[in-house]
Amino acid sequence: MLEIIELHKRYRSNWLTGRGHQAVEPATFHIAEGESLGLVGESGSGKSTLARLLLKLISADGGRILYKGTDISGYSLKQMRPLRRELQIMFQHPHSALNPRRTLLDSLLEPVLLHRIMNKAAAREKALALLDVVGIRAELLPRYPHQISGGQIQRIVIARALMLEPKFLVLDEPTSMLDVSVQAQVTQLLQRIRKEFGLTYLFISHDLELVRHMCDRIGVMKEGRIVELDESERIMERPQHPYTKQLVNAFQAFKQ
């Protein structure tokens, strides 16, 4: 579905220090249709930056992005607009994902009305159907984000993404801000809708066990570079790179 070739990003020099920062070293990998690819690494390793680069939410300094065989690297904002329906992202902080001045219903309807896919009545009917999928009661729709829990907000965010019938979802630490009891519920929901809707995931997390559970393959990032990329079980059982070995050893020590 996606092929990334030598994609990289450097933030310009700081005028105080005179130094720049290589946020993402040249990265080359692919994501197959229906696959869930995980990215793990410590904070600041470049995971989120890489995800935003491949969605063209920020501009790359070089490299190519092929979506279903078409090179979209040079696409303008206008050219990307139709693809935004297929390429969606869920951010880490659920409370910042929704406009606090809009009701939950307005937030759900906003994407389809913005893309002019259907009228408001049809959009409302679709939203109600998706509420059943994500496990939200319809009577919550007149409320505002501050009136519901973080787990409920994340379910609304999932439903809003599904309103556009996406093909590819970037999940950027989708459970890290939730209570432990809620994390498992949202994780199970994400697994279910991946199968039900035939979605492809890029799953970003610092939680190695969660990524192992959610993903077919794992990419390990350190200081802007993908240092290892392999099948999930192989990464966990036979890590090759020293940094990957440190992560796996730390995880195993924590479990004990």
Side-chain angles (χ1 to χ4, degrees):
M1 176 171 281
L2 273 167
E3 186 175 2
I4 309 304
I5 304 171
E6 295 292 308
L7 195 65
H8 60 278
K9 176 71 174 181
R10 181 177 181 82
Y11 289 113
R12 303 309 174 196
S13 297
N14 185 308
W15 67 274
L16 288 174
T17 65
R19 294 195 298 264
H21 170 58
Q22 189 72 30
V24 175
E25 299 282 352
T28 298
F29 62 96
H30 74 275
I31 306 175
E33 186 171 358
E35 180 182 26
S36 179
L37 175 66
L39 280 183
V40 297
E42 60 195 47
S43 297
S45 60
K47 305 184 300 297
S48 295
T49 301
L50 179 56
R52 284 158 175 74
L53 287 173
L54 65 88
L55 290 180
K56 290 182 64 65
L57 295 178
I58 57 176
S59 59
D61 292 333
R64 300 168 63 202
I65 308 165
L66 277 66
Y67 176 60
K68 295 182 178 179
T70 299
D71 192 338
I72 64 172
S73 309
Y75 272 27
S76 65
L77 292 176
K78 183 177 181 180
Q79 289 173 306
M80 282 299 299
R81 185 181 173 91
L83 292 182
R84 295 297 180 205
R85 291 179 56 183
E86 300 186 23
L87 307 172
Q88 288 284 301
I89 184 169
M90 283 179 55
F91 295 103
Q92 179 177 3
H93 301 280
H95 283 280
S96 63
L98 301 179
N99 188 332
R101 297 184 179 183
R102 286 179 173 267
T103 66
L104 302 180
L105 176 61
D106 288 338
S107 292
L108 276 175
L109 301 186
E110 183 181 19
V112 292
L113 297 179
L114 183 65
H115 284 270
R116 300 177 181 177
I117 301 171
M118 59 186 70
N119 61 36
K120 192 169 184 177
R124 181 184 175 88
E125 185 177 341
K126 184 172 186 176
L128 291 174
L130 285 173
L131 290 184
D132 286 337
V133 173
V134 301
I136 289 290
R137 304 190 312 276
E139 54 263 33
L140 295 180
L141 289 181
R143 297 187 184 182
Y144 290 86
H146 71 275
Q147 296 176 312
I148 64 174
S149 69
Q152 289 172 322
I153 288 179
Q154 200 67 303
R155 290 172 184 269
I156 291 289
V157 171
I158 293 170
R160 186 175 64 170
L162 294 177
M163 288 286 289
L164 292 174
E165 300 181 1
K167 307 298 181 185
F168 177 75
L169 268 179
V170 170
L171 305 169
D172 191 354
E173 300 271 12
T175 63
S176 65
M177 304 300 293
L178 305 177
D179 293 338
V180 174
S181 59
V182 180
Q183 288 180 3
Q185 298 173 15
V186 174
T187 298
Q188 291 172 5
L189 173 60
L190 290 171
Q191 287 181 308
R192 179 164 58 82
I193 65 171
R194 176 190 164 199
K195 296 177 181 178
E196 186 174 340
F197 292 89
L199 299 173
T200 302
Y201 285 167
L202 177 64
F203 193 95
I204 299 170
S205 180
H206 62 275
D207 187 333
L208 202 54
E209 174 64 14
L210 178 60
V211 173
R212 177 188 193 178
H213 184 62
M214 288 288 298
C215 301
D216 306 300
R217 291 187 299 149
I218 297 175
V220 181
M221 290 197 71
K222 177 178 173 60
E223 297 176 351
R225 184 186 299 274
I226 298 178
V227 297
E228 190 165 352
L229 177 59
D230 210 332
E231 294 178 3
S232 297
E233 292 306 315
R234 194 172 298 171
I235 286 281
M236 299 299 296
E237 295 174 4
R238 296 188 297 277
Q240 300 299 309
H241 192 275
Y243 179 67
T244 309
K245 292 178 180 178
Q246 290 178 13
L247 288 180
V248 173
N249 289 339
F251 165 70
Q252 291 173 343
F254 177 77
K255 286 186 67 177
Q256 294 174 358

